[in-house]
Amino acid sequence: MSEEKNRNNISSETEISIPLAELIKIRREKVLELQNKNINPYPYSYKRTHQIKDALKDFDSLADAETVISFAGRIMLKRKMGKTFFADLRDASERIQIYVRKDKVGDEQFDIFNTTDLGDIVGVEGFFFTTKTGEKTLKVTSFELLTKSLHPLPDKHSGLTDTEQRYRRRYADLIVNPEVREVFRMRTKIIQMVRDYLNKQNFLEVETPILQPMYGGGNAKPFKTFYNKLNRDMYMRIADELYLKRLIVGGFDKVWELCKDFRNEGIDRFHNPEFSMIEMYWAFADYKDMANLFENMLRDVVFAVHGKYEIPYGDYEINFEPKFRWVSMLDSVKEETGVDFSELSYEDAKAKAKEFHVEDNSLINWGKVVEAMWEEKVEPTLIQPTFITDYPVEISPLAKKHRENPRLTERFELFIANFEMGNAFSELNDPVDQMERFIQQGKAMEAGDDEAQPLDDDFITALTYGMPPTAGLGFGVDRLVLLLTNQHTLRDVIFFPQMKEMGDGSVPVSKILAQIIDEE
């Protein structure tokens, strides 16, 4: 077999054993050969009549009428049988088998198709027919190479299964794993359903600054940068809260934002430093009003996406149809431990927590102790949708004090399948009370709490103009998608998650290409 024929018939199994640099070089040589024949392996466009999925819906009528159909997609599988090829072609919607015969496409096009590799993008035109084995197939009458792929696809049998590589090279993951593409289609649909619901509730979608002179609205470490023109430090926002509240002060009754937030914290299955949130604020409402809206919205979105209210998540079946449970943080701790922390001082609460082996240096006040006990004893038990309510003042610096107990705030967090889905307050609108909370946050910062919130003078100024009674809610878009697509790490619902730098010693593709260019 000649060297040229050998290059044209490298199978995916053979590719596995050949170094990547050599494979890229072989494919690059094919590009040069085509160019020498005045064939452009990277043309500008291609006219398609259908996407594959849409055409397959009308397969019978299109086949009967011998309608000329044109597709464009990527070659995912290729089998040669004498003077014919069978290949699998996949576009953004679906896959189909194509049938290429030398006597139908002509010698030149057949020879070009013979040089194609898995991963090449091609345009094909032809007619539908059904093979003897019942496979719906396109009989190709003309063919055009649209993009020559220089990098081989992952092995066709095992696919791209290495988790690190899937996240680092999401484009390859999407090419070979159509179920991953479906998760991200679902993500878009979920966001659209939320947007539709809020539009029907007359919430106004707005945009607020990502770069902020003062971070706030959450307990988190910020990313810091420097604004040269203004000669000042700036921060990537950790939340939208304080700017959205300024809009409530300005006279809008209902506002919301789909936002990118940034928190300089650890990475795990529920946390990514860059994440998507929805925050909304509703004038003249309180946290119970917001809980009803949030519950009804989730119920509607779940049904719109799945066509039912009960959905699987891991080993659980989550039922969104019944009324969500409503229980205070203190009552939930009492249910699990038998201890009523509402009757205890800070020192007594800290001593009681120690009896349950809950102790560390961060328990600097009564609220922190209650929160730590709750996280240890209650949070792991929360499977079905549950509102945990009425949080201690010390851990809720932007929430209004509870109307019946000044030691607590009017706040809820919704938990489903053991993780938090949303956080809401009856928002603090007394500027003096807010200033006192900022002072307490400053003391916490001095005591070593590096997630405490700094004083935002302009926000205090805004509150002095008068903000009406307001309910606010923030919830993680990534976590909602995680739940509704039955995924188990945020990296599976974020296109390009943050990753540690690679240290596997592999040669970058850019260096391989640079060497090829030098040799040419």
Side-chain angles (χ1 to χ4, degrees):
M1 181 179 290
S2 69
E3 182 181 349
E4 181 178 356
K5 288 183 177 180
N6 188 46
R7 288 202 311 270
N8 291 342
N9 290 279
I10 294 177
S11 68
S12 60
E13 290 87 349
T14 305
E15 287 182 349
I16 299 171
S17 62
I18 300 176
L20 177 61
E22 183 63 23
L23 288 171
I24 291 177
K25 185 176 181 180
I26 290 171
R27 292 188 178 206
R28 172 60 182 168
E29 288 172 354
K30 292 182 181 181
V31 169
L32 297 177
E33 289 173 4
L34 290 169
Q35 291 173 337
N36 289 335
K37 296 175 182 178
N38 294 320
I39 298 170
N40 183 4
Y42 301 102
Y44 292 91
S45 64
Y46 186 79
K47 300 298 183 183
R48 300 178 293 175
T49 60
H50 297 79
Q51 281 201 315
I52 294 171
K53 186 176 182 179
D54 294 334
L56 287 175
K57 291 178 182 178
D58 299 323
F59 179 86
D60 291 337
S61 60
L62 292 171
D64 291 343
E66 295 187 344
T67 303
V68 177
I69 301 164
S70 60
F71 296 132
R74 194 181 295 271
I75 297 174
M76 302 302 294
L77 190 64
K78 180 181 169 187
R79 304 173 298 279
K80 187 175 184 180
M81 302 173 64
K83 296 182 179 181
T84 66
F85 281 100
F86 283 97
D88 281 1
L89 188 74
R90 179 176 289 280
D91 67 8
S93 68
E94 187 55 272
R95 64 158 291 279
I96 191 169
Q97 178 173 266
I98 62 173
Y99 176 58
V100 182
R101 284 178 54 126
K102 189 171 185 177
D103 60 355
K104 289 293 184 181
V105 299
D107 292 346
E108 182 179 0
Q109 288 192 5
F110 189 82
D111 290 342
I112 296 172
F113 194 86
N114 189 41
T115 70
T116 58
D117 296 291
L118 302 189
D120 286 359
I121 299 172
V122 300
V124 292
E125 184 177 277
F127 304 92
F128 272 154
F129 80 106
T130 304
T131 66
K132 294 178 180 179
T133 60
E135 179 89 12
K136 294 177 179 178
T137 304
L138 183 78
K139 183 182 292 184
V140 177
T141 55
S142 67
F143 150 82
E144 184 178 353
L145 178 63
L146 303 179
T147 301
K148 183 62 190 175
S149 169
L150 296 185
H151 198 296
L153 295 180
D155 171 37
K156 70 179 182 181
H157 297 299
S158 60
L160 187 61
T161 56
D162 182 271
T163 302
E164 287 287 311
Q165 290 300 321
R166 286 185 55 230
Y167 301 146
R168 291 184 189 281
R169 298 180 178 175
R170 180 67 82 186
Y171 39 86
D173 186 28
L174 294 168
I175 289 171
V176 299
N177 293 320
E179 67 277 6
V180 174
R181 292 205 300 274
E182 186 57 32
V183 167
F184 286 99
R185 287 194 182 96
M186 289 280 284
R187 179 188 175 103
T188 296
K189 183 177 181 180
I190 290 165
I191 292 171
Q192 187 58 52
M193 293 301 102
V194 171
R195 178 175 275 112
D196 290 347
Y197 184 90
L198 292 177
N199 285 342
K200 290 176 184 177
Q201 299 299 317
N202 296 316
F203 277 79
L204 178 69
E205 186 172 3
V206 298
E207 294 179 291
T208 61
I210 294 175
L211 274 178
Q212 302 178 351
M214 183 61 64
Y215 64 95
N219 293 96
K221 295 180 184 179
F223 286 95
K224 185 178 180 180
T225 187
F226 188 78
Y227 201 143
N228 292 334
K229 195 69 174 178
L230 297 181
N231 193 33
R232 69 180 302 177
D233 290 331
M234 298 288 282
Y235 302 90
M236 303 290 284
R237 68 182 171 200
I238 63 172
D240 298 43
E241 178 168 343
L242 303 189
Y243 280 92
L244 291 175
K245 285 181 178 178
R246 287 169 168 91
L247 298 182
I248 296 293
V249 170
F252 291 103
D253 283 352
K254 293 180 174 181
V255 295
W256 77 282
E257 183 171 11
L258 171 60
C259 50
K260 281 285 190 180
D261 291 338
F262 307 85
R263 299 185 179 181
N264 198 351
E265 57 189 16
I267 300 174
D268 60 34
R269 59 187 290 250
F270 291 132
H271 296 87
N272 193 64
E274 175 185 351
F275 60 98
S276 298
M277 281 190 67
I278 286 176
E279 289 202 35
M280 63 183 77
Y281 291 84
W282 181 6
F284 309 107
D286 66 12
Y287 77 141
K288 290 187 177 180
D289 296 319
M290 187 62 82
N292 286 330
L293 182 144
F294 192 28
E295 178 176 339
N296 291 332
M297 180 184 72
L298 291 180
R299 192 174 287 119
D300 279 13
V301 170
V302 167
F303 192 83
V305 171
H306 289 281
K308 58 182 180 179
Y309 294 111
E310 192 168 7
I311 65 171
Y313 186 75
D315 296 331
Y316 308 125
E317 288 290 328
I318 308 299
N319 193 349
F320 287 83
E321 187 169 18
K323 185 72 177 173
F324 294 2
R325 188 182 181 215
W326 179 275
V327 59
S328 73
M329 176 174 278
L330 286 167
D331 284 346
S332 66
V333 172
K334 185 177 179 180
E335 288 175 4
E336 294 297 325
T337 67
V339 179
D340 186 353
F341 278 80
S342 67
E343 302 295 328
L344 302 181
S345 67
Y346 165 53
E347 292 299 334
D348 290 342
K350 191 174 181 181
K352 182 60 69 173
K354 188 174 182 179
E355 294 179 14
F356 287 90
H357 308 290
V358 176
E359 55 178 329
D360 61 53
N361 294 332
S362 70
L363 306 184
I364 58 177
N365 53 50
W366 178 78
K368 288 282 189 180
V369 175
V370 172
E371 180 183 40
M373 281 294 297
W374 178 86
E375 288 176 347
E376 179 70 23
K377 301 300 179 182
V378 180
E379 187 173 11
T381 71
L382 301 176
I383 307 302
Q384 298 304 322
T386 303
F387 289 114
I388 298 296
T389 73
D390 307 337
Y391 283 52
V393 169
E394 295 93 334
I395 60 172
S396 308
L398 295 170
K400 213 165 194 174
K401 287 180 181 177
H402 198 283
R403 64 195 76 183
E404 297 174 1
N405 186 343
R407 206 176 186 186
L408 306 176
T409 60
E410 294 200 350
R411 173 187 177 186
F412 74 72
E413 289 186 313
L414 176 63
F415 285 83
I416 305 173
N418 299 133
F419 59 90
E420 181 223 325
M421 288 298 303
N423 186 21
F425 309 145
S426 291
E427 299 293 341
L428 187 58
N429 62 340
D430 178 346
V432 175
D433 191 352
Q434 179 66 82
M435 186 63 200
E436 290 174 348
R437 306 286 186 93
F438 275 130
I439 291 171
Q440 292 302 315
Q441 285 289 293
K443 291 179 179 179
M445 190 176 292
E446 291 176 359
D449 186 352
D450 57 6
E451 294 186 348
Q453 297 189 53
L455 170 64
D456 187 331
D457 179 73
D458 183 72
F459 178 64
I460 291 292
T461 302
L463 287 186
T464 64
Y465 280 79
M467 186 177 82
T470 299
L473 166 69
F475 65 92
V477 172
D478 306 320
R479 290 189 181 186
L480 179 60
V481 175
L482 189 83
L483 180 68
L484 299 192
T485 58
N486 199 10
Q487 304 300 307
H488 299 278
T489 171
L490 290 186
R491 292 180 175 184
D492 284 330
V493 298
I494 297 173
F495 270 128
F496 303 104
Q498 299 295 332
M499 303 287 291
K500 291 182 180 179
E501 188 175 356
M502 289 183 66
D504 59 3
S506 59
V507 177
V509 172
S510 58
K511 287 189 176 181
I512 295 173
L513 290 180
Q515 182 177 351
I516 290 173
I517 291 170
D518 287 342
E519 292 174 354
E520 292 177 357

